[in-house]
Amino acid sequence: MTTTRPFGDTGMDITPLGLGTWVIAGQGWEYSWGATEDAESIAAIRHAVDRGLNWLDTAPAYGLGHAETLVGKALADIPDSERPYIFTKTGLIWEDGDDRQGPPRRIMRPEAVRAELEASLRRLRVEQVDLLQVHWPDTGAVFVYQEDGEVSAEATPLEEYWQVMADLKKEGKVRAIGLSNHDAAQLEIAESIAHVDAIQPPFSAINRGAAPEIAWARAHDTGVIVYSPLHSGLLSGAFTADRVLAADDWRSRTADFTTALPANLALVDAIRPIAARHGVSVAEVVLAWTTSWSGITGAIVGARNPGQIDGWADAGTLTLTAADLDEIATAITTTGAGTGPVRP
Protein backbone atom coordinates (compact mmCIF):
# COMPACT_ATOMS: atom_id res chain seq x y z
CA MET A 1 0.00 0.00 0.00
CA THR A 2 1.59 3.28 -1.10
CA THR A 3 -1.37 5.67 -1.18
CA THR A 4 -1.21 8.37 1.50
CA ARG A 5 -3.33 11.30 2.59
CA PRO A 6 -2.38 14.56 4.36
CA PHE A 7 -3.01 14.10 8.09
CA GLY A 8 -4.63 17.46 8.71
CA ASP A 9 -1.96 20.13 8.84
CA THR A 10 0.53 18.03 10.84
CA GLY A 11 2.93 17.69 7.90
CA MET A 12 2.52 13.91 8.05
CA ASP A 13 1.03 11.94 5.16
CA ILE A 14 -0.49 8.68 6.33
CA THR A 15 -1.88 5.57 4.69
CA PRO A 16 -5.67 5.12 4.81
CA LEU A 17 -5.20 2.20 7.21
CA GLY A 18 -2.98 1.88 10.27
CA LEU A 19 -2.35 -1.00 12.65
CA GLY A 20 -4.00 -0.85 16.07
CA THR A 21 -2.41 -2.64 19.01
CA TRP A 22 -5.23 -2.99 21.54
CA VAL A 23 -5.94 -6.53 20.37
CA ILE A 24 -2.34 -7.72 20.94
CA ALA A 25 -2.02 -6.42 24.50
CA GLY A 26 -2.57 -9.83 26.09
CA GLN A 27 -4.75 -10.92 28.99
CA GLY A 28 -4.96 -10.12 32.68
CA TRP A 29 -6.43 -6.63 32.40
CA GLU A 30 -9.99 -5.28 32.27
CA TYR A 31 -10.40 -4.75 28.52
CA SER A 32 -8.36 -7.67 27.22
CA TRP A 33 -9.24 -9.48 24.00
CA GLY A 34 -7.93 -12.69 25.54
CA ALA A 35 -4.61 -14.46 25.36
CA THR A 36 -2.07 -13.56 22.67
CA GLU A 37 1.41 -14.71 21.66
CA ASP A 38 4.08 -11.99 21.80
CA ALA A 39 6.07 -13.49 18.93
CA GLU A 40 3.00 -13.44 16.68
CA SER A 41 2.17 -9.90 17.79
CA ILE A 42 5.66 -8.65 16.94
CA ALA A 43 5.49 -10.46 13.60
CA ALA A 44 2.16 -8.74 12.89
CA ILE A 45 3.64 -5.29 13.56
CA ARG A 46 6.58 -5.96 11.25
CA HIS A 47 4.31 -7.40 8.58
CA ALA A 48 2.13 -4.27 8.70
CA VAL A 49 5.23 -2.21 7.95
CA ASP A 50 6.22 -4.59 5.16
CA ARG A 51 2.75 -4.22 3.64
CA GLY A 52 3.21 -0.44 3.52
CA LEU A 53 1.09 0.72 6.47
CA ASN A 54 2.98 3.74 7.74
CA TRP A 55 1.46 4.33 11.19
CA LEU A 56 0.70 2.41 14.37
CA ASP A 57 -1.82 3.28 17.07
CA THR A 58 -1.12 2.22 20.64
CA ALA A 59 -1.63 3.32 24.25
CA PRO A 60 -0.09 2.70 27.67
CA ALA A 61 -3.50 1.46 28.85
CA TYR A 62 -3.36 -1.47 26.43
CA GLY A 63 -2.18 -4.38 28.55
CA LEU A 64 -0.70 -2.12 31.24
CA GLY A 65 2.01 -0.95 28.84
CA HIS A 66 2.49 -4.31 27.15
CA ALA A 67 1.33 -3.16 23.71
CA GLU A 68 3.78 -0.25 23.72
CA THR A 69 6.58 -2.60 24.80
CA LEU A 70 5.83 -4.89 21.86
CA VAL A 71 5.84 -1.92 19.46
CA GLY A 72 9.24 -0.87 20.80
CA LYS A 73 10.64 -4.37 20.31
CA ALA A 74 9.14 -4.77 16.85
CA LEU A 75 10.53 -1.51 15.52
CA ALA A 76 13.94 -1.61 17.24
CA ASP A 77 15.78 -3.06 14.24
CA ILE A 78 13.94 -1.12 11.53
CA PRO A 79 15.95 1.77 10.01
CA ASP A 80 14.62 5.24 10.84
CA SER A 81 13.82 5.88 7.18
CA GLU A 82 11.50 2.86 7.13
CA ARG A 83 9.87 3.23 10.53
CA PRO A 84 6.15 3.96 10.73
CA TYR A 85 4.70 6.90 12.63
CA ILE A 86 3.87 6.04 16.24
CA PHE A 87 0.63 7.38 17.72
CA THR A 88 -0.05 6.82 21.42
CA LYS A 89 -2.34 8.19 24.13
CA THR A 90 -2.58 9.35 27.71
CA GLY A 91 -5.17 9.62 30.45
CA LEU A 92 -6.24 6.08 31.43
CA ILE A 93 -4.26 5.31 34.55
CA TRP A 94 -4.11 2.71 37.32
CA GLU A 95 -3.03 4.61 40.43
CA ASP A 96 -1.30 3.18 43.50
CA GLY A 97 -3.73 1.00 45.39
CA ASP A 98 -5.98 0.35 42.37
CA ASP A 99 -6.77 -3.20 41.33
CA ARG A 100 -4.71 -3.40 38.12
CA GLN A 101 -6.99 -6.14 36.83
CA GLY A 102 -9.95 -3.80 37.26
CA PRO A 103 -10.76 -0.64 35.27
CA PRO A 104 -8.33 2.31 35.11
CA ARG A 105 -9.24 5.87 36.02
CA ARG A 106 -9.70 8.78 33.61
CA ILE A 107 -6.99 11.12 34.87
CA MET A 108 -5.31 14.05 33.09
CA ARG A 109 -3.48 15.79 35.93
CA PRO A 110 -0.43 17.58 34.48
CA GLU A 111 2.08 15.57 36.48
CA ALA A 112 0.32 12.32 35.58
CA VAL A 113 0.36 13.17 31.86
CA ARG A 114 4.05 13.95 31.92
CA ALA A 115 4.93 10.81 33.87
CA GLU A 116 2.84 8.64 31.56
CA LEU A 117 4.47 10.10 28.45
CA GLU A 118 7.97 9.49 29.82
CA ALA A 119 7.04 5.87 30.49
CA SER A 120 5.64 5.53 26.96
CA LEU A 121 8.84 6.93 25.44
CA ARG A 122 10.89 4.35 27.35
CA ARG A 123 8.69 1.45 26.28
CA LEU A 124 8.54 2.62 22.68
CA ARG A 125 12.31 3.28 22.63
CA VAL A 126 11.93 6.72 21.07
CA GLU A 127 12.64 10.31 22.07
CA GLN A 128 9.48 11.71 20.49
CA VAL A 129 6.07 10.29 19.61
CA ASP A 130 4.47 11.48 16.40
CA LEU A 131 1.02 11.95 17.94
CA LEU A 132 -0.07 12.04 21.57
CA GLN A 133 -3.82 11.86 22.12
CA VAL A 134 -5.98 12.36 25.19
CA HIS A 135 -7.74 9.02 25.52
CA TRP A 136 -10.98 10.31 27.10
CA PRO A 137 -12.18 13.51 28.78
CA ASP A 138 -10.96 13.58 32.38
CA THR A 139 -13.54 12.59 34.98
CA GLY A 140 -11.11 11.69 37.75
CA ALA A 141 -13.23 8.57 38.21
CA VAL A 142 -13.22 4.90 37.27
CA PHE A 143 -13.43 4.37 33.53
CA VAL A 144 -16.49 2.61 32.11
CA TYR A 145 -16.10 1.69 28.44
CA GLN A 146 -18.74 3.19 26.11
CA GLU A 147 -20.59 4.80 29.01
CA ASP A 148 -20.46 8.14 30.82
CA GLY A 149 -19.01 7.55 34.26
CA GLU A 150 -19.29 9.75 37.32
CA VAL A 151 -17.24 12.94 37.42
CA SER A 152 -15.04 13.42 40.46
CA ALA A 153 -14.42 16.80 42.03
CA GLU A 154 -10.74 16.15 41.33
CA ALA A 155 -11.24 16.01 37.55
CA THR A 156 -8.83 18.24 35.61
CA PRO A 157 -10.64 20.79 33.40
CA LEU A 158 -10.22 20.45 29.64
CA GLU A 159 -8.61 23.89 29.45
CA GLU A 160 -5.89 22.79 31.87
CA TYR A 161 -5.02 19.41 30.40
CA TRP A 162 -5.09 20.66 26.82
CA GLN A 163 -2.59 23.37 27.78
CA VAL A 164 -0.29 20.63 29.10
CA MET A 165 -0.58 18.83 25.78
CA ALA A 166 0.28 22.04 23.93
CA ASP A 167 3.30 22.52 26.21
CA LEU A 168 4.57 19.01 25.46
CA LYS A 169 4.36 19.77 21.76
CA LYS A 170 6.34 22.99 22.21
CA GLU A 171 8.95 21.09 24.20
CA GLY A 172 9.42 18.62 21.34
CA LYS A 173 8.27 15.57 23.29
CA VAL A 174 5.49 15.05 20.75
CA ARG A 175 5.10 16.10 17.14
CA ALA A 176 1.32 16.52 17.17
CA ILE A 177 -1.48 16.46 19.74
CA GLY A 178 -5.00 15.13 19.52
CA LEU A 179 -8.22 14.33 21.32
CA SER A 180 -9.96 10.96 21.30
CA ASN A 181 -13.59 10.51 22.35
CA HIS A 182 -14.25 14.26 22.76
CA ASP A 183 -17.41 15.83 21.36
CA ALA A 184 -17.62 18.84 19.05
CA ALA A 185 -18.24 21.30 21.91
CA GLN A 186 -15.11 20.07 23.69
CA LEU A 187 -13.10 20.27 20.48
CA GLU A 188 -14.15 23.91 20.10
CA ILE A 189 -12.94 24.73 23.62
CA ALA A 190 -9.61 23.01 22.99
CA GLU A 191 -9.13 24.78 19.66
CA SER A 192 -9.37 28.16 21.42
CA ILE A 193 -6.30 27.18 23.48
CA ALA A 194 -4.15 25.35 20.92
CA HIS A 195 -4.84 23.79 17.55
CA VAL A 196 -6.32 20.30 17.65
CA ASP A 197 -4.02 18.46 15.25
CA ALA A 198 -6.05 15.25 15.22
CA ILE A 199 -9.10 13.53 16.63
CA GLN A 200 -9.82 9.84 17.15
CA PRO A 201 -13.51 8.93 17.46
CA PRO A 202 -15.10 5.50 17.06
CA PHE A 203 -16.71 5.04 13.64
CA SER A 204 -18.05 2.08 11.72
CA ALA A 205 -21.04 1.00 9.65
CA ILE A 206 -22.69 0.18 13.00
CA ASN A 207 -21.45 3.09 15.13
CA ARG A 208 -21.90 6.24 13.04
CA GLY A 209 -22.42 8.70 15.86
CA ALA A 210 -19.20 10.68 15.39
CA ALA A 211 -20.33 12.36 12.16
CA PRO A 212 -20.55 15.83 13.86
CA GLU A 213 -16.98 15.56 15.17
CA ILE A 214 -15.68 14.45 11.78
CA ALA A 215 -17.40 17.45 10.17
CA TRP A 216 -15.83 19.71 12.80
CA ALA A 217 -12.39 18.31 12.01
CA ARG A 218 -12.87 18.80 8.27
CA ALA A 219 -13.72 22.48 8.88
CA HIS A 220 -10.63 23.02 11.07
CA ASP A 221 -7.98 21.19 8.99
CA THR A 222 -7.75 18.56 11.70
CA GLY A 223 -6.75 15.00 10.87
CA VAL A 224 -9.14 12.17 11.71
CA ILE A 225 -8.20 8.58 12.51
CA VAL A 226 -11.19 6.48 13.52
CA TYR A 227 -11.10 3.41 15.72
CA SER A 228 -13.15 0.20 15.61
CA PRO A 229 -14.02 0.48 11.87
CA LEU A 230 -14.65 -3.28 11.89
CA HIS A 231 -16.57 -2.83 15.13
CA SER A 232 -14.22 -5.00 17.16
CA GLY A 233 -14.29 -7.77 14.56
CA LEU A 234 -18.07 -7.90 14.20
CA LEU A 235 -17.89 -6.46 10.67
CA SER A 236 -14.95 -8.59 9.57
CA GLY A 237 -17.12 -11.18 7.87
CA ALA A 238 -15.65 -13.91 10.06
CA PHE A 239 -17.85 -13.51 13.14
CA THR A 240 -20.79 -15.92 13.40
CA ALA A 241 -23.91 -16.15 15.54
CA ASP A 242 -22.74 -19.38 17.17
CA ARG A 243 -19.29 -18.12 18.15
CA VAL A 244 -18.80 -18.14 21.92
CA LEU A 245 -16.53 -15.41 23.25
CA ALA A 246 -14.24 -16.23 26.16
CA ALA A 247 -15.20 -14.87 29.56
CA ASP A 248 -12.08 -12.70 29.62
CA ASP A 249 -12.97 -11.12 26.25
CA TRP A 250 -14.55 -7.72 26.96
CA ARG A 251 -16.83 -8.07 23.91
CA SER A 252 -18.83 -10.77 25.66
CA ARG A 253 -20.23 -8.05 27.93
CA THR A 254 -21.53 -5.68 25.22
CA ALA A 255 -24.93 -5.42 23.53
CA ASP A 256 -23.54 -5.39 19.99
CA PHE A 257 -22.28 -8.94 20.48
CA THR A 258 -25.39 -10.16 22.30
CA THR A 259 -28.84 -8.57 21.94
CA ALA A 260 -28.00 -6.55 18.79
CA LEU A 261 -26.05 -9.39 17.17
CA PRO A 262 -28.78 -10.54 14.73
CA ALA A 263 -29.18 -7.08 13.15
CA ASN A 264 -25.43 -6.57 12.97
CA LEU A 265 -24.81 -9.92 11.27
CA ALA A 266 -27.67 -9.25 8.85
CA LEU A 267 -25.79 -6.13 7.75
CA VAL A 268 -22.64 -8.21 7.20
CA ASP A 269 -24.61 -10.67 5.08
CA ALA A 270 -25.95 -7.80 2.96
CA ILE A 271 -22.38 -6.63 2.28
CA ARG A 272 -21.17 -10.07 1.10
CA PRO A 273 -22.51 -9.67 -2.49
CA ILE A 274 -20.67 -6.34 -2.82
CA ALA A 275 -17.44 -7.99 -1.69
CA ALA A 276 -17.99 -10.81 -4.17
CA ARG A 277 -18.45 -8.35 -7.06
CA HIS A 278 -15.13 -6.69 -6.26
CA GLY A 279 -13.36 -9.95 -5.51
CA VAL A 280 -12.39 -8.80 -2.01
CA SER A 281 -13.27 -9.65 1.59
CA VAL A 282 -16.19 -8.23 3.56
CA ALA A 283 -13.66 -6.52 5.82
CA GLU A 284 -12.12 -4.71 2.87
CA VAL A 285 -15.51 -3.38 1.74
CA VAL A 286 -16.31 -2.19 5.27
CA LEU A 287 -12.95 -0.44 5.59
CA ALA A 288 -13.22 1.17 2.15
CA TRP A 289 -16.69 2.40 3.15
CA THR A 290 -15.28 3.92 6.33
CA THR A 291 -12.35 5.69 4.68
CA SER A 292 -14.61 7.05 1.93
CA TRP A 293 -16.24 9.44 4.40
CA SER A 294 -15.19 13.02 3.78
CA GLY A 295 -12.95 14.18 6.59
CA ILE A 296 -11.68 10.75 7.66
CA THR A 297 -7.94 10.48 7.04
CA GLY A 298 -7.43 6.91 8.16
CA ALA A 299 -8.86 3.97 10.07
CA ILE A 300 -7.25 1.88 12.81
CA VAL A 301 -7.46 -1.88 12.30
CA GLY A 302 -6.24 -4.51 14.73
CA ALA A 303 -4.63 -7.87 14.00
CA ARG A 304 -3.29 -10.72 16.10
CA ASN A 305 -1.04 -12.16 13.40
CA PRO A 306 0.34 -11.37 9.91
CA GLY A 307 -2.33 -13.41 8.15
CA GLN A 308 -5.11 -11.25 9.53
CA ILE A 309 -3.42 -8.16 8.10
CA ASP A 310 -3.38 -9.74 4.65
CA GLY A 311 -7.16 -10.05 4.93
CA TRP A 312 -7.69 -6.28 4.91
CA ALA A 313 -4.49 -4.42 3.99
CA ASP A 314 -5.55 -3.79 0.39
CA ALA A 315 -8.72 -1.96 1.43
CA GLY A 316 -6.84 1.32 1.29
CA THR A 317 -6.78 1.06 -2.52
CA LEU A 318 -10.38 -0.14 -2.98
CA THR A 319 -12.84 2.40 -4.38
CA LEU A 320 -16.55 1.70 -3.92
CA THR A 321 -18.99 2.87 -6.57
CA ALA A 322 -21.99 5.10 -5.95
CA ALA A 323 -24.17 2.02 -6.44
CA ASP A 324 -22.16 0.16 -3.78
CA LEU A 325 -22.63 3.01 -1.32
CA ASP A 326 -26.35 3.15 -2.05
CA GLU A 327 -26.63 -0.61 -1.50
CA ILE A 328 -24.84 -0.39 1.85
CA ALA A 329 -27.03 2.55 2.93
CA THR A 330 -30.14 0.53 2.12
CA ALA A 331 -28.78 -2.45 4.05
CA ILE A 332 -28.09 -0.33 7.11
CA THR A 333 -31.59 1.08 7.01
CA THR A 334 -33.29 -2.26 6.36
CA THR A 335 -31.44 -4.19 9.07
CA GLY A 336 -31.65 -1.39 11.64
CA ALA A 337 -28.00 -1.89 12.54
CA GLY A 338 -26.53 0.91 14.64
CA THR A 339 -27.30 4.61 14.56
CA GLY A 340 -26.24 7.71 12.61
CA PRO A 341 -26.10 8.78 8.94
CA VAL A 342 -26.05 5.87 6.50
CA ARG A 343 -24.05 7.17 3.54
CA PRO A 344 -20.73 9.00 3.10
Side-chain angles (χ1 to χ4, degrees):
M1 179 188 299
T2 57
T3 301
T4 59
R5 303 172 174 182
F7 190 29
D9 59 4
T10 64
M12 292 181 273
D13 292 334
I14 65 172
T15 48
L17 304 177
L19 181 68
T21 62
W22 179 6
V23 69
I24 65 171
Q27 60 190 134
W29 61 294
E30 179 74 4
Y31 296 104
S32 167
W33 291 63
T36 54
E37 294 289 339
D38 286 357
E40 272 202 334
S41 299
I42 290 172
I45 294 169
R46 290 176 175 164
H47 189 61
V49 176
D50 291 341
R51 287 299 307 265
L53 277 65
N54 76 346
W55 56 283
L56 305 174
D57 179 84
T58 189
Y62 299 162
L64 309 173
H66 190 59
E68 287 187 330
T69 298
L70 292 177
V71 170
K73 289 181 178 179
L75 302 184
D77 298 328
I78 297 178
D80 289 346
S81 61
E82 299 173 16
R83 288 169 66 93
Y85 297 122
I86 299 175
F87 302 160
T88 193
K89 308 179 189 72
T90 186
L92 288 184
I93 297 174
W94 286 263
E95 294 200 300
D96 291 342
D98 287 345
D99 176 7
R100 291 177 69 82
Q101 291 188 344
R105 298 176 185 272
R106 286 163 57 167
I107 294 173
M108 282 295 296
R109 293 192 304 268
E111 69 276 13
V113 173
R114 289 182 174 276
E116 195 173 29
L117 175 60
E118 291 301 326
S120 290
L121 292 171
R122 289 194 297 272
R123 286 189 291 264
L124 294 166
R125 307 184 189 188
V126 296
E127 296 182 358
Q128 180 193 61
V129 294
D130 297 294
L131 172 66
L132 180 66
Q133 303 153 96
V134 179
H135 219 143
W136 291 81
D138 188 339
T139 63
V142 170
F143 171 71
V144 181
Y145 186 66
Q146 293 183 331
E147 297 180 18
D148 291 329
E150 61 177 302
V151 179
S152 165
E154 288 76 38
T156 303
L158 169 61
E159 294 86 345
E160 185 175 341
Y161 66 73
W162 189 242
Q163 184 60 60
V164 174
M165 296 287 284
D167 292 343
L168 290 170
K169 181 179 177 180
K170 290 178 183 177
E171 294 165 17
K173 294 285 188 179
V174 299
R175 180 172 177 178
I177 52 177
L179 292 166
S180 180
N181 299 301
H182 286 62
D183 62 31
Q186 292 167 323
L187 297 178
E188 195 65 35
I189 293 171
E191 185 72 12
S192 70
I193 297 164
H195 181 51
V196 180
D197 294 319
I199 65 169
Q200 186 184 134
F203 197 82
S204 73
I206 294 173
N207 182 2
R208 307 176 300 277
E213 287 69 45
I214 294 168
W216 184 95
R218 186 172 63 246
H220 290 80
D221 204 12
T222 292
V224 180
I225 50 174
V226 299
Y227 71 87
S228 293
L230 294 178
H231 212 76
S232 303
L234 189 49
L235 294 172
S236 67
F239 203 92
T240 61
D242 58 357
R243 179 176 173 184
V244 177
L245 294 170
D248 63 352
D249 189 323
W250 69 275
R251 296 174 295 174
S252 66
R253 305 186 292 275
T254 65
D256 283 332
F257 285 84
T258 52
T259 56
L261 187 61
N264 294 334
L265 291 183
L267 174 59
V268 172
D269 286 340
I271 293 173
R272 294 187 191 279
I274 302 171
R277 287 200 300 270
H278 286 276
V280 300
S281 66
V282 168
E284 287 172 297
V285 171
V286 171
L287 293 172
W289 178 90
T290 302
T291 56
S292 68
W293 281 76
S294 178
I296 292 180
T297 319
I300 302 164
V301 194
R304 293 174 181 267
N305 55 62
Q308 289 183 344
I309 293 172
D310 290 333
W312 50 257
D314 289 333
T317 59
L318 173 62
T319 300
L320 299 178
T321 66
D324 293 332
L325 297 176
D326 287 340
E327 190 171 339
I328 294 171
T330 299
I332 291 172
T333 302
T334 302
T335 61
T339 57
V342 301
R343 198 184 191 287

